[in-house]
Amino acid sequence: MDNFKPYSYLYKRTTEPAKLKSCFVVQLPAGKKLSLRAGYPDTSGSKTTIKYTIENDPSQSDERTEYFVNEFNWDGNPHEVLIIVGDGQGGSGDQTVSGSNDAEID
């Protein structure tokens, strides 16, 4: 797994209250951590965007894999979830998109 490239999967709960649960794992190098950006997750229409900032963390002395979860209300209609790590571009971040049509039932 490349550093900062999220591998994501989506769960959906179709009974009331309907929810989507976005989960992802990411490989982080030593000396780095991720922090959820203020104002996220942000939902606009049929798309939710979740952004994480890459920060320095000297207390992290080893490369590691970390797991992140974001759950939010859902209206039951087709929906996309975009996860952006860092700037979303290659070595300084990456991104992935999941759709509710392909989500597993939770």
Side-chain angles (χ1 to χ4, degrees):
M1 182 185 301
D2 293 333
N3 286 331
F4 307 122
K5 181 168 183 61
Y7 171 76
S8 69
Y9 41 102
L10 193 61
Y11 293 102
K12 60 185 171 185
R13 183 173 66 204
T14 55
T15 58
E16 290 300 323
K19 294 200 178 268
L20 288 175
K21 182 166 53 172
S22 172
C23 307
F24 75 96
V25 294
V26 63
Q27 184 73 26
L28 296 174
K32 300 293 182 181
K33 71 176 183 178
L34 295 186
S35 296
L36 184 64
R37 290 188 195 178
Y40 290 91
D42 177 55
T43 300
S44 179
S46 63
K47 185 176 187 178
T48 296
T49 303
I50 306 169
K51 291 185 179 182
Y52 282 84
T53 301
I54 301 168
E55 297 179 347
N56 291 326
D57 185 355
S59 70
Q60 298 294 338
S61 58
D62 295 319
E63 182 176 76
R64 70 215 176 273
T65 300
E66 290 193 3
Y67 178 80
F68 297 86
V69 176
N70 292 278
E71 187 174 62
F72 44 90
N73 293 329
W74 175 47
D75 64 8
N77 293 317
H79 198 86
E80 285 188 336
V81 178
L82 171 63
I83 298 169
I84 301 173
V85 174
D87 67 6
Q89 304 294 318
S92 55
D94 218 320
Q95 59 185 306
T96 185
V97 177
S98 301
S100 62
N101 290 342
D102 299 321
E104 293 184 44
I105 301 293
D106 187 20

